[in-house]
């Protein structure tokens, strides 16, 4: 009886090890692909902005967690206009603000969109196309004066 339980335990452990090994292998492959894409993207950015000097990104904690787009805009892969466009966001879309950065004197928000398919729902948009709570408060204050 003890041998049967030990055999079942070994089989379960073997299956568990195989599943974890497959997941680890998949993640290693994804990491290699992302690393290669990151290197290629850095080279592309450096070649397109080589005349402006080194790329300096100043990250700042975002002051707000949510906002709304005040006009249609592009969702970029990175906070640079020459970056690939992931999708177009329509005016009035609610967004979640994850991070903020400034690069080449342009402020950007890293955002996430509510999406059921989770495809191209995260990226960067320019800060100037976002209305936040602070903007709404300032507009209401200005209107009441």
């Amino acid at each position: 009886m003890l041998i049967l339980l030990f055999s079942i335990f070994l089989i379960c452990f073997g299956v568990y090890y195989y599943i974890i090994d497959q997941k680890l292998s998949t993640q290693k492959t994804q990491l290699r692909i992302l690393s290669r894409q990151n290197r290629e993207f850095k080279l592309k950015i450096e070649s397109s902005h080589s005349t402006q000097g080194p790329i300096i990104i100043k990250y700042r904690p975002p002051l707000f967690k949510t906002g709304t787009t005040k006009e249609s805009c592009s969702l970029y892969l990175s906070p640079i206009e020459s970056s690939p466009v992931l999708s177009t966001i329509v005016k009035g879309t609610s967004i979640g603000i994850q991070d903020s950065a400034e690069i080449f004197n342009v402020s950007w928000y890293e955002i996430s969109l509510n999406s059921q398919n989770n495809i191209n729902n995260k990226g960067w948009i320019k800060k100037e196309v976002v209305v936040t709570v602070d903007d709404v408060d300032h507009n209401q204050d200005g209107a009441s004066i």
Side-chain angles (χ1 to χ4, degrees):
M1 182 67 175
L2 188 58
I3 294 175
L4 178 64
L5 289 175
F6 185 71
S7 298
I8 292 173
F9 174 75
L10 282 177
I11 291 171
C12 290
F13 180 75
V15 169
Y16 178 75
Y17 179 79
Y18 176 76
I19 291 170
I20 296 299
D21 187 54
Q22 290 299 315
K23 287 183 180 183
L24 182 61
S25 176
T26 301
Q27 291 205 344
K28 283 181 181 179
T29 302
Q30 289 174 342
L31 184 60
R32 282 193 303 269
I33 292 169
L34 288 173
S35 294
R36 180 181 46 84
Q37 289 174 340
N38 187 32
R39 280 191 307 274
E40 291 171 358
F41 189 62
K42 280 182 179 180
L43 290 173
K44 181 179 176 183
I45 290 171
E46 288 172 0
S47 66
S48 67
H49 287 78
S50 61
T51 59
Q52 296 179 353
I55 297 173
I56 299 172
I57 302 175
K58 299 175 190 171
Y59 288 96
R60 295 187 175 90
L63 299 175
F64 306 99
K65 294 291 182 191
T66 60
T68 306
T69 56
K70 61 183 175 184
E71 59 189 60
S72 294
C73 61
S74 297
L75 180 66
Y76 292 93
L77 181 62
S78 66
I80 297 175
E81 287 187 52
S82 62
S83 172
V85 175
L86 299 174
S87 64
T88 301
I89 302 172
V90 296
K91 177 181 178 179
T93 302
S94 295
I95 59 169
I97 300 172
Q98 309 297 318
D99 205 354
S100 67
E102 182 179 322
I103 182 168
F104 300 121
N105 295 321
V106 178
S107 295
W108 296 79
Y109 282 136
E110 182 182 24
I111 61 128
S112 61
L113 303 168
N114 289 333
S115 173
Q116 292 182 358
N117 60 9
N118 288 331
I119 297 174
N120 295 345
N121 67 336
K122 290 184 179 182
W124 291 86
I125 62 173
K126 291 182 180 179
K127 183 178 180 180
E128 65 193 33
V129 298
V130 177
V131 177
T132 59
V133 175
D134 188 44
D135 298 329
V136 173
D137 289 344
H138 278 77
N139 287 340
Q140 288 176 352
D141 291 343
S144 63
I145 294 178

